Amino acid sequence: NKNPQSNAQSIHRELQPGIFDRVRRIFLRNQVTKEEPSEEVSILGYAGMWIMADEAHITSIASHKEHRHQGIGAALLICLIELASAKHTRIVTLEARVSNQVAQNLYYKFGFDKLGVRKAYYLDNKEDAVIMSTEYIGSPSFNEKFTQAKQAYDKKIGPFTRVLSVS
């Protein structure tokens, strides 16, 4: 189907029972009573990735500051790595602020290694970036690390359904 609106609606229907339910549960977990007004958060997190030849490069993973440490970043990372695999990339790379140890620890859990540092990478404050990459994502050793990390996530946070639409 070449109709973008129809395709978007189809993807929405496919994803809704899985990740949208997961995000909805996270959001409703701390919901206040009806008597107390609550600011509505429309975006809990987002992620971006470029695919160039046989490499996937994660450009961003972020979660709303009021909903951090609830598994949103890990869920987005899992989806990006699975999408990279479905697109037949060989490796996944990214940069992380040297001060963002929380993000770096998450990436280490999911099989990333530190390759080096980009000096003054971030324009806002000239902070250095840690360059991180996976090994070949089709390798048995990466798949074992990634599977273990996903299982740990599912045990801690709960499983969620991931539906990939690869075109």
Side-chain angles (χ1 to χ4, degrees):
N1 187 353
K2 298 293 181 191
N3 181 343
Q5 184 176 12
S6 170
N7 191 31
Q9 291 169 343
S10 170
I11 291 169
H12 177 75
R13 280 193 303 274
E14 290 174 11
L15 287 175
Q16 195 161 9
I19 189 70
F20 290 158
D21 284 345
R22 165 81 181 104
V23 170
R24 199 175 297 114
R25 282 195 311 271
I26 290 170
F27 182 68
L28 294 176
R29 182 182 315 156
N30 298 321
Q31 187 178 29
V32 294
T33 62
K34 289 187 179 184
E35 294 84 36
E36 299 177 42
S38 173
E39 181 182 321
E40 187 174 319
V41 177
S42 58
I43 298 175
L44 295 181
Y46 64 88
M49 180 172 65
W50 295 334
I51 296 181
M52 300 162 289
D54 63 351
E55 179 181 319
H57 183 80
I58 295 175
T59 58
S60 58
I61 295 179
S63 59
H64 190 282
K65 64 183 176 181
E66 293 177 18
H67 298 280
R68 292 194 179 135
H69 310 292
Q70 296 182 23
I72 295 169
L76 292 168
L77 180 60
I78 290 167
C79 290
L80 290 176
I81 293 171
E82 289 178 342
L83 179 59
S85 179
K87 290 287 195 175
H88 307 290
T89 64
R90 295 188 54 77
I91 62 170
V92 181
T93 63
L94 57 84
E95 289 88 15
R97 289 181 184 269
V98 294
S99 64
N100 193 346
Q101 203 59 48
V102 171
Q104 291 175 49
N105 289 339
L106 173 67
Y107 303 139
Y108 287 130
K109 280 184 208 173
F110 282 90
F112 286 78
D113 293 310
K114 179 180 174 181
L115 297 182
V117 174
R118 293 192 197 281
K119 295 290 184 188
Y121 181 76
Y122 292 97
L123 299 177
D124 61 342
N125 64 357
K126 302 295 185 209
E127 185 174 358
D128 295 347
V130 175
I131 304 165
M132 302 183 82
S133 181
T134 63
E135 61 182 298
Y136 170 51
I137 61 175
S139 72
S141 61
F142 178 81
N143 281 307
E144 183 178 334
K145 286 181 213 171
F146 185 59
T147 299
Q148 288 175 353
K150 285 193 303 185
Q151 288 171 345
Y153 175 90
D154 288 350
K155 184 175 181 181
K156 180 179 177 182
I157 305 295
F160 66 94
T161 304
R162 296 172 285 281
V163 178
L164 298 177
S165 177
V166 180
S167 55

XYZ file of all heavy atoms in Angstrom, residues 80-123:
360
model
N 15.336 0.070 18.507
C 16.286 0.541 17.497
C 17.250 -0.567 17.078
O 17.533 -0.732 15.886
C 17.072 1.749 18.014
C 16.286 3.049 18.160
C 17.177 4.130 18.769
C 15.701 3.509 16.840
N 17.746 -1.339 18.034
C 18.668 -2.432 17.693
C 17.939 -3.493 16.872
O 18.485 -4.016 15.895
C 19.312 -3.028 18.963
C 20.233 -1.991 19.609
C 20.082 -4.312 18.636
C 20.754 -2.380 20.984
N 16.709 -3.810 17.232
C 15.943 -4.791 16.450
C 15.657 -4.276 15.047
O 15.698 -5.036 14.081
C 14.663 -5.166 17.188
C 14.943 -6.010 18.417
C 13.706 -6.369 19.209
O 12.653 -5.720 19.052
O 13.808 -7.312 20.016
N 15.381 -2.982 14.917
C 15.163 -2.405 13.591
C 16.461 -2.447 12.775
O 16.442 -2.791 11.596
C 14.652 -0.970 13.698
C 14.402 -0.242 12.379
C 13.378 -0.978 11.525
C 13.949 1.182 12.643
N 17.581 -2.126 13.402
C 18.878 -2.193 12.715
C 19.142 -3.608 12.217
O 19.611 -3.813 11.096
C 19.994 -1.731 13.648
N 18.812 -4.585 13.032
C 18.989 -5.988 12.637
C 18.074 -6.338 11.466
O 18.502 -6.981 10.506
C 18.707 -6.898 13.826
O 18.853 -8.241 13.462
N 16.831 -5.891 11.528
C 15.875 -6.170 10.445
C 16.312 -5.498 9.145
O 16.005 -5.991 8.057
C 14.477 -5.694 10.844
N 17.029 -4.394 9.249
C 17.538 -3.688 8.067
C 18.894 -4.239 7.622
O 19.524 -3.689 6.728
C 17.663 -2.190 8.360
C 16.340 -1.475 8.500
C 15.694 -1.324 7.148
C 14.569 -0.319 7.183
N 14.015 -0.093 5.853
N 19.345 -5.305 8.270
C 20.580 -6.016 7.907
C 21.838 -5.165 8.043
O 22.756 -5.269 7.237
C 20.478 -6.608 6.498
C 19.260 -7.448 6.312
N 19.097 -8.669 6.922
C 18.122 -7.209 5.617
C 17.918 -9.162 6.596
N 17.299 -8.301 5.821
N 21.861 -4.319 9.079
C 23.089 -3.570 9.324
C 24.077 -4.465 10.062
O 23.706 -5.483 10.640
C 22.825 -2.297 10.156
O 22.345 -2.659 11.436
C 21.823 -1.393 9.460
N 25.331 -4.094 10.020
C 26.373 -4.893 10.667
C 26.648 -4.407 12.098
O 26.888 -5.218 12.973
C 27.658 -4.846 9.852
C 27.501 -5.515 8.484
C 28.805 -5.643 7.737
N 29.862 -6.314 8.462
C 29.968 -7.642 8.653
N 29.041 -8.435 8.159
N 30.971 -8.154 9.319
N 26.645 -3.080 12.289
C 26.941 -2.525 13.608
C 25.984 -1.391 13.914
O 25.329 -0.848 13.026
C 28.398 -2.009 13.719
C 28.650 -0.865 12.729
C 29.403 -3.133 13.546
C 29.979 -0.147 12.934
N 25.929 -1.030 15.189
C 25.161 0.125 15.647
C 26.141 1.012 16.408
O 26.881 0.524 17.265
C 23.988 -0.287 16.561
C 23.196 0.936 16.999
C 23.074 -1.299 15.865
N 26.157 2.296 16.070
C 27.053 3.244 16.726
C 26.256 4.382 17.333
O 25.083 4.587 16.997
C 28.079 3.837 15.731
O 27.364 4.577 14.735
C 28.914 2.765 15.073
N 26.901 5.152 18.206
C 26.281 6.329 18.805
C 27.342 7.150 19.517
O 28.474 6.688 19.704
C 25.165 5.944 19.779
C 25.509 5.008 20.946
C 26.097 5.758 22.127
C 24.259 4.270 21.398
N 26.975 8.357 19.901
C 27.781 9.176 20.790
C 26.947 9.472 22.031
O 25.735 9.624 21.940
C 28.184 10.517 20.153
C 29.197 10.428 19.039
C 28.559 10.216 17.671
O 27.332 10.420 17.543
O 29.283 9.815 16.749
N 27.631 9.568 23.170
C 26.975 9.934 24.423
C 27.849 10.964 25.129
O 29.077 10.910 25.030
C 26.783 8.712 25.315
N 27.212 11.882 25.813
C 27.988 12.870 26.578
C 28.864 12.137 27.595
O 28.410 11.180 28.224
C 27.061 13.828 27.319
C 26.336 14.794 26.400
C 25.444 15.745 27.206
N 24.683 16.595 26.309
C 25.096 17.788 25.884
N 26.253 18.268 26.302
N 24.355 18.499 25.061
N 30.100 12.604 27.773
C 30.983 11.957 28.753
C 30.395 12.047 30.160
O 30.633 11.160 30.986
C 32.430 12.527 28.727
C 33.122 12.206 27.429
C 32.454 14.008 28.999
N 29.593 13.068 30.416
C 28.986 13.230 31.745
C 27.752 12.359 31.951
O 27.287 12.211 33.076
C 28.601 14.694 31.969
O 27.593 15.083 31.045
N 27.218 11.767 30.883
C 25.982 10.988 30.991
C 26.303 9.512 31.250
O 26.164 8.654 30.375
C 25.126 11.159 29.736
C 23.718 10.641 29.933
O 23.432 9.935 30.889
N 22.844 10.991 29.007
N 26.711 9.232 32.476
C 27.086 7.873 32.853
C 25.884 6.931 32.841
O 26.023 5.751 32.541
C 27.759 7.884 34.234
C 28.643 6.722 34.495
C 29.781 6.600 33.485
O 30.486 7.559 33.181
N 29.967 5.418 32.938
N 24.687 7.447 33.137
C 23.476 6.622 33.115
C 23.258 6.056 31.715
O 23.020 4.858 31.542
C 22.244 7.423 33.597
C 20.955 6.646 33.380
C 22.387 7.807 35.067
N 23.351 6.910 30.713
C 23.166 6.448 29.329
C 24.267 5.471 28.940
O 23.990 4.416 28.350
C 23.157 7.640 28.375
N 25.502 5.786 29.269
C 26.609 4.896 28.924
C 26.422 3.519 29.555
O 26.653 2.496 28.898
C 27.943 5.497 29.365
C 28.344 6.714 28.557
C 29.601 7.353 29.088
O 30.597 6.672 29.332
N 29.569 8.657 29.283
N 25.983 3.481 30.804
C 25.749 2.187 31.464
C 24.658 1.390 30.757
O 24.766 0.166 30.627
C 25.408 2.389 32.941
C 26.599 2.847 33.750
O 27.752 2.662 33.358
N 26.333 3.474 34.885
N 23.610 2.078 30.306
C 22.557 1.407 29.547
C 23.142 0.806 28.272
O 22.885 -0.357 27.952
C 21.431 2.383 29.197
C 20.339 1.851 28.271
C 19.523 0.761 28.966
C 19.437 2.988 27.814
N 23.935 1.565 27.555
C 24.513 1.077 26.299
C 25.455 -0.100 26.544
O 25.454 -1.061 25.770
C 25.221 2.212 25.553
C 24.313 3.385 25.260
C 24.764 4.693 25.397
C 22.989 3.208 24.869
C 23.929 5.775 25.136
C 22.153 4.280 24.617
C 22.625 5.562 24.749
O 21.808 6.626 24.499
N 26.242 -0.043 27.612
C 27.118 -1.175 27.947
C 26.296 -2.445 28.178
O 26.656 -3.520 27.710
C 27.959 -0.884 29.193
C 29.089 0.098 28.984
C 29.248 1.175 29.848
C 30.006 -0.039 27.945
C 30.284 2.083 29.678
C 31.037 0.865 27.764
C 31.170 1.930 28.636
O 32.197 2.826 28.454
N 25.168 -2.304 28.896
C 24.308 -3.468 29.168
C 23.829 -4.130 27.886
O 23.623 -5.338 27.844
C 23.065 -3.047 29.972
C 23.270 -2.860 31.428
C 21.926 -2.548 32.082
C 22.116 -1.717 33.308
N 20.834 -1.268 33.873
N 23.604 -3.325 26.855
C 23.071 -3.843 25.603
C 24.154 -4.138 24.569
O 23.869 -4.260 23.387
C 21.996 -2.910 25.049
C 20.680 -3.073 25.759
C 20.377 -2.313 26.876
C 19.766 -4.031 25.344
C 19.189 -2.487 27.555
C 18.572 -4.208 26.017
C 18.280 -3.436 27.120
N 25.393 -4.275 25.008
C 26.449 -4.767 24.128
C 27.293 -3.724 23.429
O 28.043 -4.061 22.515
N 27.212 -2.469 23.823
C 28.056 -1.438 23.234
C 29.392 -1.376 23.979
O 29.461 -1.661 25.171
C 27.378 -0.061 23.318
C 26.249 0.124 22.348
C 25.010 -0.431 22.604
C 26.417 0.857 21.188
C 23.955 -0.264 21.720
C 25.373 1.031 20.294
C 24.142 0.465 20.562
N 30.421 -0.969 23.257
C 31.745 -0.754 23.835
C 32.199 0.651 23.494
O 31.822 1.208 22.463
C 32.762 -1.752 23.271
C 32.472 -3.181 23.707
O 32.275 -3.404 24.910
O 32.432 -4.063 22.822
N 33.051 1.207 24.347
C 33.620 2.534 24.100
C 34.753 2.406 23.094
O 35.651 1.578 23.260
C 34.146 3.123 25.409
C 34.782 4.479 25.267
C 35.273 4.993 26.607
C 36.034 6.291 26.421
N 36.547 6.794 27.710
N 34.690 3.215 22.030
C 35.736 3.196 21.003
C 36.692 4.371 21.117
O 37.844 4.273 20.700
C 35.124 3.216 19.603
C 34.253 2.034 19.199
C 33.787 2.204 17.774
C 35.012 0.730 19.360
N 36.206 5.489 21.627
C 37.045 6.681 21.704
C 36.245 7.867 22.173
O 35.137 7.718 22.701
N 36.820 9.058 21.970
C 36.192 10.299 22.420
C 36.249 11.314 21.280
O 37.256 11.418 20.587
C 36.914 10.856 23.667
C 36.379 12.223 24.056
C 36.801 9.886 24.838
N 35.153 12.040 21.090
C 35.127 13.164 20.153
C 35.217 14.434 21.011
O 34.323 14.707 21.801
C 33.842 13.197 19.342
C 33.679 12.052 18.380
C 32.519 12.316 17.414
N 32.085 11.113 16.758
C 32.690 10.540 15.726
N 33.787 11.058 15.247
N 32.211 9.443 15.184
N 36.273 15.168 20.851
C 36.506 16.390 21.637
C 35.519 17.486 21.243
O 35.248 17.690 20.054
C 37.940 16.897 21.445
C 38.985 15.956 21.992
C 38.942 15.943 23.497
C 40.048 15.079 24.074
N 39.900 14.906 25.502
N 34.982 18.164 22.256
C 34.092 19.323 22.072
C 32.966 19.032 21.078
O 32.584 19.868 20.270
C 34.897 20.544 21.636
N 32.383 17.846 21.159
C 31.374 17.389 20.201
C 30.055 18.160 20.333
O 29.417 18.486 19.338
C 31.136 15.899 20.408
C 30.127 15.286 19.479
C 30.449 15.001 18.158
C 28.840 14.972 19.918
C 29.532 14.426 17.292
C 27.914 14.396 19.065
C 28.256 14.125 17.759
O 27.350 13.562 16.913
N 29.627 18.426 21.558
C 28.326 19.060 21.784
C 28.462 20.578 21.705
O 29.286 21.179 22.401
C 27.724 18.604 23.109
C 27.341 17.146 23.057
C 28.191 16.155 23.555
C 26.155 16.743 22.459
C 27.850 14.811 23.478
C 25.809 15.404 22.367
C 26.663 14.452 22.883
O 26.326 13.125 22.787
N 27.656 21.192 20.856
C 27.764 22.619 20.595
C 27.342 23.486 21.775
O 27.862 24.575 21.958
C 26.926 22.987 19.365
C 27.330 22.301 18.052
C 26.378 22.696 16.932
C 28.763 22.632 17.694
